[in-house]
């Protein structure tokens, strides 16, 4: 009986010792439940990529100016340099800038002239001297030809029945001094001239005179008008004081309806 009690006691002690050892092992090295594994394991979380730095816009902006804008800019810069040199005449550096700009302008002007000469040989139709000689002997012949064209046109108009009126203020000294030249022109080219007085004072140097009586209205006097009694047409020739040579040219201009230059 005593032996059986000891056997139970030893068994209980062994069981207690095993249970204690198991509990110690269990709490000393716990087994991680499957459901919490993701929580206990160290994981590398994805990191966001660093933003690529964007370059700042340039502080300078390149623009292409038109030719007109370039000239406006240059004129403004030139005037500033000139003004600066003018108000600081003893400042050599400032005056040197003005000299350099003047030299630059001179070179550009010379280049323009040379380009013009070169182009006249490529495109002679644009040359002034093609039709208008500059050599003295040739110029004399050219002017004679031009004058004859104008005289021929006066003859043509005269044959078509044209004459001209000289509308004047007879009391005006300057008009009185012009009158002989107008009568001489009429005599030279054998064309009819009639003086028309606005103020009732006739000028004796004009052989034929009439009172105006507001029949011929002109904005200024003296006035020269082409008149065709047959067709009752009037065409203004000139206002003011004009030379005989210029008057010849005006006849040509009116006769050709200003289609051909005479200069």
């Amino acid at each position: 009986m005593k032996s059986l009690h000891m056997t139970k006691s030893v068994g209980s002690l062994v069981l207690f010792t095993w249970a204690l050892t198991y509990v110690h092992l269990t709490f000393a090295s716990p087994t991680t439940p499957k459901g919490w594994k993701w929580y206990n394991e160290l994981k590398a979380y994805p990191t966001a990529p660093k933003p690529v730095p964007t370059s700042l816009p340039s502080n300078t902006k390149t623009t292409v100016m038109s030719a007109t804008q370039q000239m406006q800019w240059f004129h403004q810069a030139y005037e500033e340099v000139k003004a600066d040199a003018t108000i600081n005449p003893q400042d050599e550096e400032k005056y040197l800038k003005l000299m350099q700009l003047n030299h630059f302008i001179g070179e550009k002007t010379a280049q323009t002239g040379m380009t013009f000469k070169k182009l006249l040989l490529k495109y002679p139709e644009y040359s002034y001297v093609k039709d208008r000689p500059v050599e003295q002997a040739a110029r004399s012949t050219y002017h004679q030809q031009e004058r004859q064209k104008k005289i021929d046109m006066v003859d043509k108009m005269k044959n078509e029945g044209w004459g001209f009126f000289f509308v004047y203020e007879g009391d005006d000294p300057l008009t009185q001094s012009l009158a002989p030249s107008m009568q001489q022109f009429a005599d030279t080219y054998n064309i009819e001239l009639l003086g028309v007085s606005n103020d009732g004072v006739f000028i004796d140097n004009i052989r034929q005179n009439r009172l105006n009586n507001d029949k011929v209205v002109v904005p200024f006097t003296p006035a020269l008008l082409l008149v065709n009694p047959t067709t009752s047409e009037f065409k203004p020739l000139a206002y003011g004081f004009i030379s005989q040579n210029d008057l010849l040219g005006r006849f040509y201009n009116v006769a050709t309806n200003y289609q051909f230059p005479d200069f």
Side-chain angles (χ1 to χ4, degrees):
M1 188 72 178
K2 184 176 180 181
S3 174
L4 179 60
H5 178 72
M6 290 181 63
T7 302
K8 287 183 180 181
S9 297
V10 172
S12 297
L13 180 61
V14 171
L15 181 61
F16 176 75
T17 302
W18 175 85
L20 185 62
T21 303
Y22 176 79
V23 172
H24 174 73
L25 292 174
T26 300
F27 284 93
S29 300
T31 302
T32 305
K34 288 185 178 181
W36 292 88
K37 183 177 181 181
W38 65 270
Y39 180 82
N40 293 315
E41 287 182 347
L42 294 176
K43 300 180 70 176
Y45 292 96
T47 57
K50 293 182 180 180
V52 179
T54 57
S55 58
L56 295 175
S58 175
N59 290 330
T60 60
K61 183 179 179 181
T62 302
T63 58
V64 179
M65 293 190 297
S66 66
T68 302
Q69 291 173 326
Q70 291 180 56
M71 286 299 295
Q72 290 174 343
W73 173 85
F74 178 79
H75 281 302
Q76 183 179 2
Y78 177 78
E79 290 300 325
E80 177 63 25
V81 171
K82 184 171 68 171
D84 198 15
T86 301
I87 63 178
N88 298 284
Q90 295 181 339
D91 192 318
E92 294 184 359
E93 290 297 324
K94 293 181 178 180
Y95 205 86
L96 177 59
K97 289 182 180 179
L98 180 61
M99 293 174 63
Q100 289 170 336
L101 283 177
N102 286 333
H103 180 72
F104 171 79
I105 294 172
E107 285 188 332
K108 288 294 183 182
T109 303
Q111 290 173 5
T112 301
M114 297 308 294
T115 301
F116 181 77
K117 285 184 176 183
K118 183 179 180 180
L119 286 174
L120 287 179
L121 295 177
K122 286 186 176 181
Y123 307 98
E125 63 270 24
Y126 298 118
S127 175
Y128 178 86
V129 300
K130 179 178 70 69
D131 300 313
R132 301 169 183 83
V134 294
E135 196 276 328
Q136 190 60 37
R139 280 176 62 85
S140 178
T141 302
Y142 169 78
H143 288 311
Q144 289 175 7
Q145 292 175 343
E146 289 296 300
R147 181 177 178 81
Q148 190 59 48
K149 285 196 305 185
K150 297 172 183 177
I151 293 172
D152 292 343
M153 196 58 66
V154 173
D155 289 338
K156 179 177 180 294
M157 298 191 72
K158 177 185 65 177
N159 294 332
E160 291 175 353
W162 292 89
F164 70 107
F165 284 176
F166 176 48
V167 185
Y168 62 85
E169 307 289 338
D171 200 34
D172 178 54
L174 286 175
T175 302
Q176 293 172 8
S177 65
L178 176 65
S181 178
M182 297 299 97
Q183 186 62 59
Q184 186 180 23
F185 181 91
D187 294 342
T188 300
Y189 301 107
N190 197 26
I191 188 169
E192 292 293 332
L193 169 63
L194 178 66
V196 180
S197 173
N198 271 349
D199 59 0
V201 178
F202 291 158
I203 297 178
D204 294 336
N205 295 106
I206 303 298
R207 283 197 288 271
Q208 297 185 60
N209 291 281
R210 297 287 188 275
L211 289 175
N212 192 351
N213 294 326
D214 297 325
K215 292 181 179 179
V216 181
V217 180
V218 292
F220 302 101
T221 59
L224 294 170
L225 307 172
L226 269 174
V227 183
N228 191 325
T230 304
T231 62
S232 299
E233 292 180 85
F234 285 78
K235 293 183 179 182
L237 272 175
Y239 296 102
F241 304 92
I242 188 171
S243 68
Q244 291 188 44
N245 190 57
D246 288 342
L247 182 57
L248 185 63
R250 295 296 179 87
F251 266 89
Y252 180 79
N253 296 147
V254 174
T256 59
N257 198 25
Y258 296 89
Q259 295 299 308
F260 304 101
D262 61 326
F263 46 82

